[in-house]
Amino acid sequence: MYDYLIVGAGLFGAVFAHEANKKGKKCLVIDKRAHIGGNIYTENVEGIAVHRYGAHIFHTSNREVWEYVQQFAEFNRYTNSPVANFHGEIYSMPFNMYTFNKMWGVVTPSEAREKIEEQKKECHIENPENLEEQAISLVGKDIYEKLVKGYTEKQWGKKATELPAFIIKRLPVRFTYDNNYFNDTYQGIPIGGYTGIVEKMLERIDVRLGVDFFEHREPLRAEAKKIVFTGMIDAYFDYRLGELEYRGLQFETEILNEENHQGNAVVNYTDYETPYTRIIEHKHFEFGTQPKTVITREYPRQWVRGMEPYYPMNDEKNNCLYKEYKELADKETSVIFGGRLGQYQYYDMDDVIESALNCVRAEI
């Protein structure tokens, strides 16, 4: 008999299992995939750590979380500085003085602010009510139309005027010549990739891969006193209240017989006509010098049941439905729901770790 059956060998499940094991609890971790690590899984291709499920850059201002992950891996000094490609025009991201200079020819922060304010007034925006209005109020109409609109509508599969304003508030805007995307104190990539981190977390834990919880629900429940569930909360309850919406992704990975394909780890394609949102060149995450390179094109997809869900659609309608599922979850005395899918919440990696650590402390 296990103390905990942990459904999902991703970051939340691995942290919970590691900490529970340290406190003398016996854990079984299962995952329907053939590998551990969830969406942070990295695999070695041509000597390059390839992020199979999209780019993952670790960043946090939480010192406790940063020190926590240091015990499992050594991190390099990688700084996330993506660039935007609009029909062959290259712009610096996040939006900063380099972006404003190329777009308008302005040189000083005051000139950039004046230009944005002028375009905001032309659009008569005072209280932004949707993503389009929020974006224009932050960066002006020119930057919105070239670098935000097409990318965002591809990413979410909806018009920008139909998306909530809060989505764009995560986008950094700087009036300095600083192209570091994140404002966090700590940032980097684990040398050799993320899989090694999860391997170390699960060193003393029983793990079964290729096991679908829903296909073996009853016998698995009988093996443990409690369940830690990191899958889709609506799926756990057999969608009895309806389906929550998610956003899907499709990855197209290619090995190229060249040393350097695009000169940057991440290039966003911001025009609507290009079907993918970005190309990732994995070797640049670790300053690789391999003779070949590996790139991944990332295509957003409409999610349907049976597909892998990547992003929760946290609009008003779906958040209201999640609250109803949360009420059901709170009544489950022997089940803990965690992670991005279990809590229907967009989490960065540091948020997942913090959430899992808090969960273990509350539980044990």
Side-chain angles (χ1 to χ4, degrees):
M1 173 65 72
Y2 291 95
D3 293 295
Y4 296 98
L5 166 68
I6 298 167
V7 182
L11 198 50
F12 188 99
V15 171
F16 188 100
H18 181 78
E19 293 303 307
N21 179 261
K22 279 166 51 178
K23 297 179 185 297
K25 302 298 182 182
K26 191 176 181 184
C27 300
L28 168 64
V29 176
I30 66 168
D31 201 294
K32 66 180 180 181
R33 288 172 171 169
H35 60 74
I36 60 172
N39 289 347
I40 68 169
Y41 174 69
T42 47
E43 58 186 336
N44 187 299
V45 180
E46 299 289 339
I48 299 165
V50 171
H51 300 210
R52 186 188 285 187
Y53 304 101
H56 285 81
I57 298 101
F58 197 91
H59 58 98
T60 186
S61 290
N62 185 323
R63 184 171 179 177
E64 180 191 10
V65 168
W66 180 245
E67 290 178 349
Y68 183 80
V69 295
Q70 298 301 301
Q71 65 185 303
F72 304 108
E74 181 181 354
F75 282 69
N76 67 20
R77 58 172 183 80
Y78 179 80
T79 298
N80 189 31
S81 300
V83 297
N85 183 319
F86 180 79
H87 293 305
E89 297 176 22
I90 301 297
Y91 292 89
S92 179
M93 293 186 70
F95 304 135
N96 60 65
M97 287 304 300
Y98 289 113
T99 318
F100 305 143
N101 174 262
K102 180 159 185 178
M103 185 69 69
W104 300 312
V106 299
V107 175
T108 66
S110 61
E111 289 174 325
R113 289 182 189 276
E114 285 174 16
K115 192 70 177 176
I116 291 172
E117 195 59 34
E118 173 189 316
Q119 295 192 353
K120 181 179 174 182
K121 286 179 180 178
E122 286 175 0
C123 295
H124 308 291
I125 298 170
E126 293 184 7
N127 297 305
E129 296 183 358
N130 56 51
L131 187 145
E132 178 169 288
E133 293 180 354
Q134 180 66 46
I136 292 172
S137 70
L138 286 172
V139 293
K141 189 175 181 181
D142 292 341
I143 289 177
Y144 165 71
E145 291 187 343
K146 279 193 173 185
L147 306 182
V148 177
K149 180 179 170 66
Y151 183 94
T152 303
E153 292 184 347
K154 285 190 294 187
Q155 179 78 4
W156 295 103
K158 294 184 178 182
K159 291 185 180 298
T161 52
E162 298 171 357
L163 291 166
F166 76 83
I167 291 177
I168 207 72
K169 289 181 180 178
R170 297 182 73 248
L171 187 67
V173 178
R174 296 202 184 92
F175 293 91
T176 60
Y177 289 92
D178 177 8
N179 61 353
N180 176 7
Y181 193 86
F182 300 119
N183 286 315
D184 290 305
T185 308
Y186 311 104
Q187 183 176 174
I189 300 281
I191 296 172
Y194 288 94
T195 304
I197 291 177
V198 180
E199 284 175 347
K200 287 186 178 179
M201 288 179 177
L202 298 177
E203 271 179 351
R204 297 176 179 84
I205 313 295
D206 291 344
V207 178
R208 298 179 198 166
L209 299 174
V211 178
D212 190 324
F213 171 75
F214 296 110
E215 290 180 7
H216 309 279
R217 191 167 184 153
E218 293 312 313
L220 285 169
R221 289 180 73 104
E223 288 194 62
K225 298 172 186 175
K226 288 188 101 169
I227 295 173
V228 177
F229 186 79
T230 68
M232 295 159 54
I233 189 171
D234 53 344
Y236 181 88
F237 292 106
D238 299 317
Y239 307 99
R240 72 176 72 165
L241 303 176
E243 283 187 1
L244 289 165
E245 287 185 88
Y246 302 86
R247 197 69 179 138
L249 291 172
Q250 179 182 325
F251 302 100
E252 182 184 273
T253 298
E254 187 178 356
I255 301 171
L256 301 177
N257 193 26
E258 55 183 293
E259 188 178 341
N260 184 3
H261 179 68
Q262 65 183 17
N264 205 49
V266 181
V267 176
N268 292 345
Y269 286 77
T270 60
D271 61 278
Y272 190 79
E273 294 73 26
T274 302
Y276 42 85
T277 50
R278 59 184 178 176
I279 294 180
I280 302 159
E281 188 167 6
H282 302 269
K283 71 189 302 179
H284 295 308
F285 288 128
E286 297 190 54
F287 317 106
T289 58
Q290 297 89 348
K292 294 185 180 181
T293 194
V294 182
I295 64 168
T296 299
R297 297 177 185 88
E298 193 170 300
Y299 297 82
R301 289 287 180 261
Q302 184 67 37
W303 180 86
V304 294
R305 197 184 299 189
M307 287 177 60
E308 195 70 41
Y310 286 92
Y311 299 105
M313 294 285 289
N314 288 120
D315 56 17
E316 185 176 355
K317 170 191 162 189
N318 283 287
N319 286 342
C320 287
L321 180 56
Y322 167 68
K323 285 181 182 177
E324 294 182 43
Y325 275 116
K326 178 70 164 57
E327 290 175 6
L328 292 179
D330 290 340
K331 295 174 184 175
E332 294 277 332
T333 56
S334 61
V335 184
I336 297 166
F337 294 85
R340 182 182 287 195
L341 302 179
Q343 297 176 332
Y344 199 69
Q345 175 80 33
Y346 183 89
Y347 278 143
D348 286 322
M349 287 178 283
D350 61 326
D351 299 322
V352 174
I353 292 171
E354 181 180 6
S355 176
L357 289 173
N358 289 338
C359 183
V360 171
R361 288 167 184 156
E363 172 67 17
I364 306 172

